[in-house]
Amino acid sequence: QVQLVESGGGLVQTGGSLRLSCVASGRTFSSYAMGWFRQAPGKEREFVAAISTSGGLTRYAVSVKGRFTISRDNAKNTVYLQMNSLKPEDTASYYCAAKAGSYFGEYDYWGQGTQVTVSS
């Protein structure tokens, strides 16, 4: 079982930056691939970014590539999402998620989410 707690959301102006953090419980964090997802009001949840267990591989949604960076610190059981050049369409609740093995496929564990609001 993995418990995930996100933080770092808030209100920011267009063009601004935020860094989200997600701390995982347990001693096997390094065996989990991690992902960030988001859901805007009235829309389905969508993939944002993912990172492999070692941090050596990453992938991004087209809409955030070049603006967002996912990283992890296995010693701190933490995954980050650095968000730069934020746009109003990035406004959503952001969730981190974990799964064993590859970062492809369905995620098994989810955090409670943190709200990001980008004002125009």
Side-chain angles (χ1 to χ4, degrees):
Q1 189 79 3
V2 178
Q3 293 184 324
L4 305 171
V5 179
E6 304 98 331
S7 62
L11 174 64
V12 64
Q13 292 185 332
T14 297
S17 297
L18 283 174
R19 187 175 82 155
L20 306 183
S21 299
C22 173
V23 179
S25 65
R27 293 176 291 179
T28 59
F29 177 73
S30 60
S31 66
Y32 289 92
M34 300 298 296
W36 285 98
F37 296 77
R38 67 186 181 186
Q39 187 168 20
K43 295 188 177 181
E44 292 188 354
R45 184 173 63 197
E46 64 175 358
F47 168 78
V48 175
I51 190 165
S52 63
T53 54
S54 67
L57 297 174
T58 58
R59 69 182 188 106
Y60 298 91
V62 171
S63 58
V64 307
K65 198 168 186 177
R67 299 188 298 122
F68 291 11
T69 302
I70 188 171
S71 62
R72 67 189 296 160
D73 185 338
N74 285 345
K76 296 182 178 180
N77 281 17
T78 303
V79 61
Y80 304 98
L81 186 68
Q82 178 66 44
M83 306 186 294
N84 298 329
S85 302
L86 282 162
K87 306 175 181 180
E89 51 264 44
D90 295 318
T91 295
S93 291
Y94 283 71
Y95 301 87
C96 73
K99 67 181 298 289
S102 167
Y103 58 27
F104 292 104
E106 295 294 320
Y107 281 70
D108 301 308
Y109 304 101
W110 295 84
Q112 83 291 346
T114 186
Q115 178 67 36
V116 172
T117 302
V118 185
S119 63
S120 57

